Amino acid sequence: MKDELLRGIASPDDVKKLPPEQLCELCSEIRDCLITTVSQNGGHLASSLGAVELTVALHRSFSSPTDAILFDVGHQSYTHKLLTGRYDCFSTLRQENGLSGFMRPDESQHDPFITGHSSNSISAAYGIYKAKALRGEPGTAVAVIGDGAMTGGMAYEALNNAGSEKSKFIVVLNDNKMSISRNVGAMAKYLNRIRSRVGYHSFKNWLNRFLNKVPLFGKPLRDRLFSSKTMLKNAIYHSNIFEGLGFNYFGPVDGHDIKAMENLFSIAKNQNRPALIHVVTVKGKGYPFAESQPNLYHGVSAFDVQSGTSGHSDEDYSSVVGQTLCQMAESDGTVCAITAAMTSGTGLTEFASTYKDRFFDVGIAEEHAVTFSAGLAKGGMKPYFVVYSSFLQRGFDQVIHDAAIGGFDVRLCIDRAGVVGEDGETHQGLFDAAYLSLIPGVTIWSPASFDELKGMLFRTLSAKGVTAVRYPRGGQGDNACFCDTGAAADWFYPGHQTLVITYGRLSGGALEAVRQNAQSSLLKLNRIHPIDDALIKEIATYERVLFFEEGIRDGGIGEQLATRLLEQNSRCAFSLYAIDRFVPCAKTKAVLSHWGLDQESVMKALEGVKP
C-alpha cells in the first residue's frame, strides 16, 4: 500500500500545503488505506470511499478545530481521521481500545461532537456555531450531512432554526442517492430534480461576464440582477426548499472535483448568510464492488479485497425475521412491514420485492415509522416495524403517545438488541427492554433461538396492544438447542435452592453452567415483560437467585423482578449481573465476559466467585 503522502499528514495544515497536482495521489492513498483497513477490521466502507475528495476539500478550505467540521452519523468520517493526525493508529479502527468508527471528542480535538445516529449534525453544529459567536471566538461550524439523513425530521427542525438569522453557518449536503439502502420518498425525488437542472453558478458566472461586455446598460443591468439573488435564481429556475428556509444554496457540484468544491466553500464562508452546499458524490467510489453494490458495502465485516467476499453467509436473526414475515404475509393479507431506511440490514429485502404494496421504507424517520404503524393498525392492518434497538430510542414518545395509549396493535421487531460489539456506545442495544417495560400494556418477548423467534413472531399475529420481539445481532450459536414451547418461561433442572434467571442470547451459556453445577436450576424467560405473579411467587421460594441480563441494569428486567420479590417479602439472596454504563467498542464476546455475563462468569457466580 502506497502511503508516501499520507505519512506526511500530521494535521489539516499539511493538507493545505500540498500542491493541487498531488491531491489526486493523496486521494488514491486514502482509498487504499480505507479498503485495506476495513477489509481487516470491518466497518463502514462505501460511505467513506465516496467522501474522500469532499473531506480533502473541506480541510483545505476550513481550519479545524477552529472551524468545527461535524460529520452526520460519522461513518463517513474515516478520511477525516486520516487527515487529522490519526494515520499511524488507523489500523486499530473499531478495535478494543482503538479508534472509534465514529467521531469521538475524547479521541481528537478535530472531532467536535459524538456522532452515531443520523440527522443530528445540523442541530449540533449550529449550537457549536452559536456558542462561538456568543463567546466571541473565531471560526464557523460545518455540518456534513448525507441525503439519506435528510429524510430525518430533526434535520429540518435544525434548518428551520439556523436559517432564521444572518450567520456564516454552513451545511454541506453529501448527496450520493443512498442512506444504507437506496433513498426513497419525496426528498430523494426532489434532490434528483435539483441534480438534473442546469448549474446555477455556471450560468451566473457566464451572465456576469456577458453583461460586463455590453456597452452602456450592461453593468447597470448586472447590478440590478445581482442585487437580488432571488430575482436571478427565479429567472433560471424556481427557488428551492433550502433557499426558502433562509439558506444560500450553492450547487450541485461534483463531489470528486476538489477545486470546484474549494471555490464554492470559499464563496460560502465569506457571506453573511447561512449556506448549503449541495455536493454530489458516488458511494463506494474507487472500489468496484462497493460502487456496484453500495448497500452491501455500507457496513461490512472483514472481507477479501480481491474478490469482495466476506465468507460470512450464515443465517442470522435478521434473515429469519424477514423469512418469517414473508410466510406470515403469504397467509395473512393484513401483514405489513415497515423499515426506517434499513431494508437489507433488517432482513426485509425479500419482503420488499414480494409484497411491494405492504412494504414501507419511510426513510430515516423512526418517530414517523411508529406513528405510521399505529395508523395502519387503526385501519385494520397488522404492522411490523423492524428496527435496530438503538434507533428505536428515537421513537420512544411515539410508542407511548401514539401506540400504547391508544391501545393499537403495533408490533416491534427489535434487531441488534443487546451488545453489538465494534460499533461502540452509540449502537449498543442496551435500553429497549428497560424503557419499553415502563410503558403500561407493552409485551416483550426475547427468543434464545431461531425456532423460538419464529414461534414468537407467529404468536404476535393475534397479540393486542404494543408487542415487541427483541433479538441479538448475528446467529444463534449454541442456543440452537432451545425449541419454541409457547410458554412464557421454561424451567431447567428445577428443585434446587439456587436459581439462575436469564433470557435471550445468554440462555445457552447459563444452561451449560447450570448443567455443571448440580445444586442449581435455570429459569429461562421467554416473555420478559410482563412476568406473571404466579411465577414471581415461585421464584420467591428459592434461597438464592442470580439474574443475568444483557442490558442496562437500572430499570431493567432484573431490577424490576427484584422489586417484585421484595413486594412478596421474599428472603432470597438476590444478585443482579447487568450493564451499568455505556459500552465502548469491543468484540461482543469480550464485552459479555467483562460484564460477567458469559458462561464462565455464570459458573463462577454459582461457585460464589465474583465474575
Side-chain angles (χ1 to χ4, degrees), residues 27-28 30-36 38 44-54 75-76 78-79 174 255-256 281-291 297 303:
C27 292
S28 178
I30 291 171
R31 284 195 167 88
D32 285 347
C33 180
L34 294 177
I35 294 168
T36 299
V38 176
H44 294 91
L45 183 61
S47 51
S48 293
L49 290 173
V52 173
E53 287 85 2
L54 168 58
H75 54 51
Q76 56 184 326
Y78 290 4
T79 299
N174 179 14
H256 303 291
T281 60
V282 176
K283 191 170 185 179
K285 185 173 179 62
Y287 185 53
F289 296 110
E291 279 195 48
Y297 287 85
F303 64 94

Side-chain angles (χ1 to χ4, degrees), residues 115-170:
T115 58
H117 288 181
S118 171
S119 310
N120 69 340
S121 61
I122 303 176
S123 298
Y126 185 55
I128 291 170
Y129 171 80
K130 289 300 294 182
K132 285 179 177 289
L134 290 169
R135 294 170 61 88
E137 296 176 354
T140 186
V142 183
V144 185
I145 184 169
D147 54 320
M150 290 295 288
T151 61
M154 187 176 178
Y156 296 94
E157 296 174 14
L159 287 172
N160 179 60
N161 182 211
S164 63
E165 62 178 272
K166 292 181 178 180
S167 70
K168 295 183 182 295
F169 176 61
I170 295 173

Side-chain angles (χ1 to χ4, degrees), residues 487-489 523 525 527-539 561 564 568:
L523 174 61
L525 300 177
R527 189 183 66 204
I528 64 175
H529 181 81
I531 299 176
D532 292 336
D533 289 338
L535 186 57
I536 297 294
K537 291 178 180 178
E538 194 165 357
I539 295 170
L561 187 141
R564 297 277 298 280
Q568 293 288 333

Side-chain angles (χ1 to χ4, degrees), residues 304-335:
D304 177 71
V305 175
Q306 297 302 316
S307 66
T309 58
S310 65
H312 295 283
S313 58
D314 295 337
E315 189 176 32
D316 60 16
Y317 280 97
S318 301
S319 63
V320 171
V321 167
Q323 296 162 11
T324 306
L325 289 180
C326 284
Q327 295 172 16
M328 293 159 62
E330 182 178 6
S331 58
D332 188 332
T334 64
V335 170

Side-chain angles (χ1 to χ4, degrees), residues 273-582:
R273 185 184 176 192
L276 185 140
I277 298 97
H278 183 177
V279 176
V280 179
T281 60
V282 176
K283 191 170 185 179
K285 185 173 179 62
Y287 185 53
F289 296 110
E291 279 195 48
S292 61
Q293 296 181 297
N295 60 315
L296 299 183
Y297 287 85
H298 174 80
V300 295
S301 55
F303 64 94
D304 177 71
V305 175
Q306 297 302 316
S307 66
T309 58
S310 65
H312 295 283
S313 58
D314 295 337
E315 189 176 32
D316 60 16
Y317 280 97
S318 301
S319 63
V320 171
V321 167
Q323 296 162 11
T324 306
L325 289 180
C326 284
Q327 295 172 16
M328 293 159 62
E330 182 178 6
S331 58
D332 188 332
T334 64
V335 170
C336 301
I338 301 95
T339 183
M342 298 291 292
T343 303
S344 58
T346 56
L348 293 177
T349 302
E350 182 182 352
F351 193 106
S353 61
T354 306
Y355 303 101
K356 295 179 181 180
D357 59 334
R358 287 186 276 154
F359 173 76
F360 306 95
D361 183 346
V362 302
I364 302 177
E366 290 81 5
E367 303 95 322
H368 164 64
V370 174
T371 304
F372 174 65
S373 298
L376 285 171
K378 171 65 176 177
M381 305 303 288
K382 295 176 181 175
Y384 286 79
F385 176 30
V386 190
V387 58
Y388 285 9
S389 171
S390 60
F391 298 161
L392 179 62
Q393 292 163 188
R394 291 180 284 188
F396 179 53
D397 175 65
Q398 287 72 24
V399 174
I400 295 174
H401 185 274
D402 300 330
I405 291 178
F408 296 119
D409 302 337
V410 172
R411 300 149 181 92
L412 304 173
C413 297
I414 306 177
D415 202 332
R416 271 65 167 178
V419 175
V420 298
E422 292 86 349
D423 281 341
E425 293 96 325
T426 57
H427 284 62
Q428 310 287 3
L430 304 179
F431 302 98
D432 59 272
Y435 70 73
L436 288 176
S437 61
L438 300 176
I439 305 172
V442 171
T443 301
I444 310 172
W445 294 85
S446 184
S449 68
F450 294 163
D451 179 73
E452 290 188 343
L453 174 59
K454 294 174 185 176
M456 290 175 185
L457 287 173
F458 271 99
R459 283 195 294 281
T460 62
L461 282 169
S462 58
K464 298 299 180 183
V466 177
T467 304
V469 180
R470 62 185 310 275
Y471 44 93
R473 180 182 189 178
Q476 63 186 343
D478 296 334
N479 285 5
C481 62
F482 294 116
C483 298
D484 179 45
T485 63
D490 291 319
W491 289 90
F492 297 88
Y493 308 108
H496 301 289
Q497 293 307 305
T498 296
L499 176 64
V500 173
I501 307 177
T502 193
Y503 60 87
R505 173 164 53 188
L506 303 186
S507 301
L511 178 58
E512 187 59 34
V514 167
R515 280 175 176 160
Q516 298 183 38
N517 187 300
Q519 303 304 313
S520 59
S521 304
L522 172 67
L523 174 61
K524 183 177 77 71
L525 300 177
N526 301 321
R527 189 183 66 204
I528 64 175
H529 181 81
I531 299 176
D532 292 336
D533 289 338
L535 186 57
I536 297 294
K537 291 178 180 178
E538 194 165 357
I539 295 170
T541 64
Y542 282 79
E543 292 181 1
R544 183 179 177 219
V545 175
L546 292 77
F547 197 106
F548 294 86
E549 182 166 15
E550 187 183 344
I552 198 68
R553 178 188 180 96
D554 293 344
I557 303 302
E559 189 176 79
Q560 294 178 42
L561 187 141
T563 300
R564 297 277 298 280
L565 289 173
L566 285 175
E567 292 171 350
Q568 293 288 333
N569 295 315
S570 171
R571 296 181 179 275
C572 71
F574 186 90
S575 298
L576 174 59
Y577 301 90
I579 298 170
D580 64 358
R581 66 195 66 182
F582 296 117

